[in-house]
Every structure is written in C-alpha cells, then in structure tokens.
Amino acid sequence: MATLFEKLDQIETRYQEMTDQLSSPEVLGDSARYQKLARAHADLSQMVEKYREWKEIERGLRDTKQMLVDADDPEIQQLAHDEEHQLTARKEIVENELKRLLLPKDPNDDKNILLEIRAGTGGDEAALFAAELYRMYSRYAESQGWRCEVLESSPSSLGGVKDLVAAISGDKVYSKLKYESGVHRVQRVPATEQQGRIHTSAATVAVLPEADEIDIKIEAKDLRIDTFCSSGPGGQSVNTTYSAVRITHLPTGLVVSQQDEKSQIKNRAKAMRVLRARLYEIEQQKQHDAIAAERRGQIKTGDRSEKIRTYNFPQSRVTDHRIGFTLHQLPEVMDGKIGPLVDALVTHFEAERLKQELVEA
C-alpha cells in the first residue's frame, strides 16, 4: 500500500500546484493553456478529495487508539471501540474507491457529443425508425438537462429521416451515451403493411466525442471550402444565395456539407464542428486498433458495425444483445426513458474495463 499512497501524495502536490497556477496572470492570459489546466485540475479533484478523506480517517483512528490507551471509563472505552470499528470499515471503502480512481480514465468522458443517426435496411420504415431514435435520445437529453441541437438532417418522404447529425452538450454526455454506437434493429408491422406482417428494419447510431481546437488542429491549407445554393425548403433567400458550405479535408478526403442556416458563416461553423469530430474519431480509432492488435479478447464497446439492440414492438420488448439486458417497457424507452439501459451498459463495460486494467497492472 506504500506505493499507492506515495503516488497519492504526488498527485495531491501536483493538484495544489495547479490550483496556484490557475490564478497566475501568465495562465489567465493564455485561454488554451487555462482550459487545458482547468480540465486537468477538475479531473484530479475527486481523487484528491477522497485522499484527504482517507487522511482524515487515519487521524481519527490514531486519536481513537490513543483514547483506548488513556481511558479508564468502560463507557468511554466502548465508545472508542465503536468509533474505531466504524472508521476501519469506512477506511476500507475509501481505499477501494481510491484504487478505482487511480485507474486510467476515458479521456472523452467529459466531452459533448455529435450524434449521427442513419436509416439502414428497410427503406421508408427504416427512416421512420431513425426519426424515432432521435426523438428517444432528445427526450433523454432533456431529462438530463442537456442541450440538443440538430446540425444536419435529410428528411424522407413519409416524415422520417434518412440521416441526421445532432450536437448534444451538457455534463458528462459522452460517458453516458458512448455505448449507444452500433446497429439498432426494429421489428414491427409498418404502417404501410397491408397484411399485418412483421418487418425488420435497422438504423445505425454513431456517438462521436466532440473535439475542440485543443484536441484537433486543422490547417487552413488542408481545407477546400466550396459554397453553393441551398436546396429544399427554406424560402427564396435560402435557395438563391450561396449560403450552403461544403468543406473537404484534403489529407483524408472527408467531406462535410451544411446548409440548414441562412448564414454562410453559421453553416461553416457547424460544418467545422462535424469535421473536427470525425477527424478526432479517426485518431481515436487508430489508437484503438493499435491497442487491439496487442490485446486478445478485446472488450466490445459498441462499434457501429455491431448489431447491438433490438426493439420488438409486438412484444413491447427492447434487448441489448451485448449484455443480455431486456426491458419489457418499449413505449417508455421510445419516449426517452432509457436510463436503465444506459446505466446497465455503463456498469457492465466499466466493470470489464477495470478488470482488464487490473489484470494488466
């Protein structure tokens, strides 16, 4: 245990140094450096608070043991024994929490996300389901106090969406929704089905941590930016001015288009948000592939190519196939009450990750 607490002493010292730096004029004058330092400071705060609680428990135990030595009164001795028992039990809990906090954290957990939903197999029915998935996630975001903004969408003929990109921002959004990526399958009788047959359709969901300029540097020379007239509804001013923007990232060939806003500046800003997130995903995937190449039995975490979940309407059932978790409350789930699913996934995959880290430690 000595090495653990030596490490915690070093972390507490570093935390105090960062606290001092955050109020220095040099750091306050550099916004990028301040943001990076403030984020690192916040990441350590829970661990330092827990370590300080552990030290307080240690002091309490020393005082209690001294009381047992000094006290002659049996009642005081009994009180000291009870206090020692409570502090010892709490100390064990805090030490386990400290070990967990010392394990590597997913650096994206505190990030906002870009949510991409695309209709898959199933034609108009798949597009309708894609729209319902977005409604489900937007309702859940609302229940969490998050902000949801559609950046891009392509409507289908029957009121669904062929594809949609939305930005969701708030407290620890990625940590909650990162396991939603994958193929979502729906089984139900479509409204257009005359003979009552159950059809199977699908939509893909991708959850991308939103990258900021600190994470991804994009050089102006690597971009080709084209402007064109918007298409679709929006009125004469939208359809006859060059407000739509198409950005091509030359090194990767990634292309992002945005035309929802009347302002070319706003469309460009939205397109850059999407481009930055997709470039960040590419970098993350490279790192993931490098780790997976060295590690066998890699834990699956919801790659978009996996069929992760089935929504069965006739049986009012939703099943997540990765963890074998089933809810018979499909109407509530589609209305955004996905908390039990989200919590079960986070608990399962975080336990697996901690187990893997402990094996490799």
Side-chain angles (χ1 to χ4, degrees):
M1 295 298 288
T3 55
L4 169 68
F5 295 110
E6 285 173 2
K7 187 171 183 179
L8 286 165
D9 278 330
Q10 294 168 4
I11 289 170
E12 186 179 29
T13 300
R14 175 62 183 143
Y15 179 80
Q16 189 56 53
E17 289 171 355
M18 286 192 288
T19 303
D20 297 337
Q21 288 173 12
L22 282 169
S23 59
S24 72
E26 183 184 355
V27 172
L28 289 170
D30 185 340
S31 61
R33 184 180 173 191
Y34 180 85
Q35 287 179 38
K36 188 174 182 180
L37 188 62
R39 193 179 299 167
H41 184 268
D43 287 343
L44 292 182
S45 62
Q46 186 181 3
M47 191 184 305
V48 171
E49 287 172 12
K50 192 62 64 177
Y51 181 44
R52 287 172 177 172
E53 181 185 353
W54 181 87
K55 290 196 291 187
E56 190 64 36
I57 292 170
E58 276 287 279
R59 282 191 288 271
L61 281 170
R62 285 196 298 270
D63 292 344
T64 303
K65 286 173 182 175
Q66 190 60 47
M67 191 184 299
L68 283 168
V69 172
D70 297 340
D72 295 327
D73 189 326
E75 285 190 19
I76 293 177
Q77 284 190 332
Q78 185 59 50
L79 286 171
H81 272 300
D82 292 344
E83 180 73 11
E84 183 182 33
H85 177 74
Q86 291 171 11
L87 288 171
T88 301
R90 180 60 189 162
K91 180 183 174 183
E92 184 179 352
I93 292 170
V94 171
E95 284 181 358
N96 287 331
E97 290 175 349
L98 281 169
K99 289 175 187 175
R100 180 180 60 80
L101 289 169
L102 278 168
L103 289 169
K105 178 187 173 186
D106 187 332
N108 294 320
D109 274 353
D110 293 330
K111 290 185 180 291
N112 300 325
I113 68 163
L114 291 189
L115 177 72
E116 296 186 351
I117 303 175
R118 289 187 167 81
T121 54
D124 286 331
E125 169 65 8
L128 288 168
F129 179 55
E132 291 174 64
L133 283 177
Y134 173 66
R135 179 180 179 274
M136 178 184 80
Y137 288 121
S138 62
R139 287 289 183 91
Y140 178 69
E142 184 182 341
S143 74
Q144 299 297 302
W146 299 338
R147 182 170 178 266
C148 199
E149 175 191 6
V150 175
L151 300 182
E152 180 184 334
S153 71
S154 299
S156 70
S157 57
L158 296 180
V161 291
K162 297 173 187 174
D163 55 73
L164 179 144
V165 179
I168 302 180
S169 54
D171 183 38
K172 299 185 182 300
V173 180
Y174 185 76
S175 70
K176 294 278 186 75
L177 295 181
K178 61 183 174 181
Y179 300 115
E180 293 300 303
S181 293
V183 176
H184 293 240
R185 183 175 63 177
V186 60
Q187 295 173 329
R188 65 183 175 187
V189 179
T192 54
E193 169 60 47
Q194 300 297 319
Q195 301 187 23
R197 292 175 299 184
I198 295 172
H199 286 226
T200 298
S201 305
T204 61
V205 172
V207 176
L208 312 182
E210 186 168 6
D212 54 32
E213 293 182 14
I214 297 171
D215 299 315
I216 294 290
K217 280 289 188 185
I218 301 175
E219 301 288 343
K221 64 181 176 60
D222 292 336
L223 300 178
R224 186 177 73 236
I225 300 176
D226 303 308
T227 58
F228 56 97
C229 293
S230 299
S231 60
Q236 188 175 0
S237 63
V238 171
N239 297 326
T240 60
T241 60
Y242 286 81
S243 59
V245 173
R246 182 187 301 111
I247 300 178
T248 304
H249 186 251
L250 300 174
T252 61
L254 278 175
V255 179
V256 177
S257 297
Q258 183 60 239
Q259 62 176 11
D260 287 1
E261 300 284 348
K262 294 180 181 180
S263 162
Q264 186 184 121
I265 294 172
K266 289 182 179 179
N267 280 329
R268 179 169 173 164
K270 282 187 174 183
M272 285 299 293
R273 287 176 72 182
V274 176
L275 176 63
R276 192 173 284 115
R278 289 178 182 167
L279 288 172
Y280 187 63
E281 183 196 27
I282 289 172
E283 290 302 312
Q284 292 284 298
Q285 190 60 44
K286 286 179 184 175
Q287 295 176 24
H288 173 82
D289 291 344
I291 294 169
E294 298 174 3
R295 180 190 292 170
R296 293 184 179 181
Q298 184 74 8
I299 300 166
K300 292 185 177 180
T301 57
D303 182 85
R304 72 180 74 182
S305 64
E306 298 172 24
K307 190 175 293 181
I308 63 166
R309 192 175 298 156
T310 295
Y311 303 75
N312 186 300
F313 276 72
Q315 297 178 20
S316 187
R317 168 173 55 83
V318 57
T319 299
D320 195 287
H321 305 295
R322 295 165 295 177
I323 60 174
F325 184 83
T326 296
L327 282 174
H328 292 276
Q329 299 169 336
L330 187 52
E332 290 85 353
V333 168
M334 298 309 296
D335 197 39
K337 297 178 177 65
I338 60 172
L341 270 170
V342 168
D343 293 343
L345 285 163
V346 170
T347 299
H348 173 84
F349 284 120
E350 288 302 292
E352 290 295 309
R353 188 177 71 86
L354 294 178
K355 193 187 303 180
Q356 184 71 46
E357 295 286 354
L358 288 170
V359 168
E360 293 180 355

